[in-house]
Amino acid sequence: MKKLLLAAAVLLGGCASHPQSLIIAPTEPMPTVNAASSASVELSSTDHRTDTFLVRIHDGDGPAQLINASSNPRALLESGLRDGLSRQGYAMSGHGTVRMALTLEELQVDVDQSAMRHIANSRATATLVVEQDNRQLVKRYQARGEVKGVLKVESSVLEREVNDRLNQLLNAMLNDPELHQFIQ
């Protein structure tokens, strides 16, 4: 009887379907650096990802399942950076003396799974170009992660992976001493 219940649980767990979109909501960034000046900052952003889906699930020999975001990851990243810079003491403006251009280059989770296990590799890349007084600073930020588990991957695991990568990017930007030194 126990073996029958275990087999049923494995089969039902292996048949779980994935949503068509993920809920992404990075947490509020935790800046540890405070601005020494109240420079006015103008922030813009673009999405240059070659693949606009967030998750690609490979399950055997069939075609990969693609899952999109329920909201725009570029807009979420820009909003998080804007809020974090404001909390650090910078004056966010439409016409600032410091111009920042944020480019989201990559945000993706690749999952290889079978009925008994999954491995999810996540990566995110963003570039920040900062211009002030005929000077320019270009910084590239990357975040990577991996999660392994039994059975098929759950949507909550995928959402956590995407949100963790966005949080890593935001915290790296907001706590970058070279960036803050350039702005001052």
Side-chain angles (χ1 to χ4, degrees), residues 42-43 85 90 97-103 126-141 172-184:
E42 175 184 339
L43 177 62
L85 289 169
Y90 295 108
T97 58
V98 178
R99 288 167 311 287
M100 286 188 184
L102 172 65
T103 303
T127 301
L128 195 58
V129 178
V130 186
E131 296 177 346
Q132 179 183 26
D133 300 330
N134 296 322
R135 299 179 302 139
Q136 186 180 63
L137 174 70
V138 179
K139 296 286 298 219
R140 189 165 194 217
Y141 302 92
M173 288 184 258
L174 291 169
N175 295 313
D176 185 345
E178 185 179 7
L179 174 64
H180 293 288
Q181 184 178 1
F182 182 84
I183 293 173
Q184 297 174 22

Side-chain angles (χ1 to χ4, degrees), residues 60-77:
D61 294 333
Q65 180 184 1
L66 306 178
I67 302 174
N68 295 308
S70 62
S71 53
N72 186 335
R74 183 232 14 111
L76 291 171
L77 193 61

